[in-house]
Amino acid sequence: TTSVSSIGDQPVDYGTYSANGSRITILWDNGNNTEWDYSLFPSHDGTPAMKLIDPETGKHKFYERDN
């Protein structure tokens, strides 16, 4: 597992994540779980990007790594 934070949220939430196949699970420090289907791909400038898809609603989010 590796740590993760929700930078856009106020206050910032922290937790750890693990991946199994194309599913990522986040265990937040407050005890809540979040699960997403994910895929990785190169962004417009070639840096890694991630697409997260909510398995229940189909809604998605995109994330790019800050350099």
Side-chain angles (χ1 to χ4, degrees):
T1 60
T2 305
S3 63
V4 63
S5 65
S6 61
I7 292 174
D9 295 339
Q10 295 299 325
V12 175
D13 293 324
Y14 294 93
T16 58
Y17 72 88
S18 61
N20 184 9
S22 63
R23 176 71 52 101
I24 188 169
T25 302
I26 301 171
L27 174 58
W28 299 104
D29 286 348
N30 66 7
N32 290 334
N33 281 343
T34 306
E35 289 191 341
W36 299 88
D37 293 326
Y38 77 97
S39 62
L40 301 173
F41 59 94
S43 67
H44 64 281
D45 65 359
T47 59
M50 178 184 285
K51 179 180 181 181
L52 298 174
I53 303 167
D54 184 317
E56 293 182 17
T57 66
K59 292 184 179 183
H60 58 272
K61 299 178 181 185
F62 291 93
Y63 291 94
E64 292 184 53
R65 185 178 74 193
D66 291 334
N67 290 328

